[in-house]
Amino acid sequence: MIELGGKTILVTGGSRGIGEAIVRAVAAAGADVLLHYGRNRVAAEAVQRGIGPGRCRLIEADLAEEDAAARLWGRALDAAPRIDVLINNAGIFEPVPVDATTQKWRDAWARVMQVNLYAPAELCKLAIAHFRDPGDGSKGGGGKIINIASRAAHRGDAPDQWPYAASKGALIAMTKTIARGFAKDNVPAFAIAPGFTDTDMAHDGLDAAGLQRILAEIPLGSMASPQECGALAAFLCSDHVRHLTGATFDINGASYVR
């Protein structure tokens, strides 16, 4: 049984999909949650109602903006002076074909890298400083970082998804670097790499033939559920996983086995 009572966990992109499942899983295990969302406040409020506003507080920020990560972290500290776990889940897809104009190509890369890598990197930087000295009398208490990557980080992605695959590969490299560099400060870091997961984002633009093509390459015959990702994230938030630091956990139904 996972027990997260007394912990405060910040989850980015927590209003839907995998992020929502993570928020619900850690809250069910007893944690207080800081739920970041980008634009969909209605969805965020629906998750909050299911948990209770006393244990789930909402923070809005558009991570596509360069200074959004710092603003988000500041608002998180205002809401909960001690944060125990940072979960970087927010991410975007933006297809761009290889024959796009140079400007369109650069713009797509810039937007994807900003949301999927630069903002998580800045949040990790701020979290490490906080974990080293949270400012509440518990100096050196440590904390955890969990970065939600993707199967694409290992096997690549569709021909028009270079930026997405590259951002997720870099996120895993960053996670390993944090794990190696800050273990001495009691800051374990983990990555979760889902394959196709049964969320609205995964189904966006898919027709029946596309769905069958995806399922045919998954030996289990189905997409992962967001709840599987949420359960794993909750486990990694627990106090039983110190020596798993630096690891990447695949959830892809054996569609890519390393």
Side-chain angles (χ1 to χ4, degrees):
M1 183 175 180
I2 300 170
E3 173 52 56
L4 301 178
K7 295 184 184 296
T8 298
I9 299 174
L10 170 60
V11 182
T12 69
S15 65
R16 62 179 186 143
I18 290 173
E20 176 186 351
I22 291 172
V23 168
R24 292 186 185 279
V26 299
D32 291 334
V33 187
L34 303 174
L35 187 165
H36 157 263
Y37 68 98
R39 296 183 178 87
N40 195 340
R41 185 171 182 87
V42 172
E45 288 176 340
V47 178
Q48 183 187 48
R49 283 194 299 273
I51 296 169
R55 295 186 49 233
C56 180
R57 283 157 285 184
L58 306 183
I59 304 172
E60 182 275 335
D62 182 355
L63 294 180
E65 298 174 359
E66 287 189 2
D67 58 348
R71 292 200 311 271
L72 167 57
W73 187 259
R75 292 169 185 168
L77 290 181
D78 288 341
R82 168 68 186 176
I83 297 171
D84 299 286
V85 184
L86 164 66
I87 302 180
N88 280 309
N89 167 74
I92 62 171
F93 294 94
E94 184 169 340
V96 60
V98 71
D99 57 358
T101 66
T102 298
Q103 192 58 54
K104 287 183 178 179
W105 177 262
R106 290 175 176 171
D107 289 347
W109 274 83
R111 284 188 289 267
V112 172
M113 297 301 276
Q114 169 60 36
V115 175
N116 292 8
L117 182 62
Y118 301 157
E122 186 167 0
L123 286 169
C124 287
K125 178 181 183 295
L126 294 165
I128 289 167
H130 174 70
F131 295 155
R132 284 171 150 179
D133 185 2
D136 63 357
S138 57
K139 186 171 183 177
K144 293 186 180 71
I145 292 170
I146 302 171
N147 291 319
I148 308 303
S150 169
R151 179 186 69 174
H154 300 299
R155 67 164 233 174
D157 210 328
D160 60 354
Q161 288 287 2
W162 290 21
Y164 181 79
S167 70
K168 294 301 188 177
L171 194 64
I172 287 178
M174 184 181 76
T175 304
K176 293 177 179 179
T177 302
I178 292 169
R180 288 174 55 81
F182 298 95
K184 64 183 183 300
D185 298 304
N186 191 27
V187 182
F190 317 96
I192 297 175
F196 274 101
T197 306
D198 194 7
T199 65
D200 291 342
M201 183 179 291
H203 287 276
D204 188 25
L206 267 185
D207 58 15
L211 178 59
Q212 288 306 309
R213 187 168 58 251
I214 287 168
L215 296 180
E217 69 170 27
I218 302 174
L220 280 179
S222 63
M223 294 186 187
S225 72
Q227 290 72 29
E228 288 181 81
C229 300
L232 177 56
F235 173 64
L236 294 175
C237 290
S238 74
D239 295 328
H240 308 296
V241 296
R242 290 182 69 247
H243 279 264
L244 297 180
T245 188
T248 298
F249 298 88
D250 298 334
I251 303 180
N252 63 45
S255 61
Y256 186 74
V257 180
R258 295 183 291 131

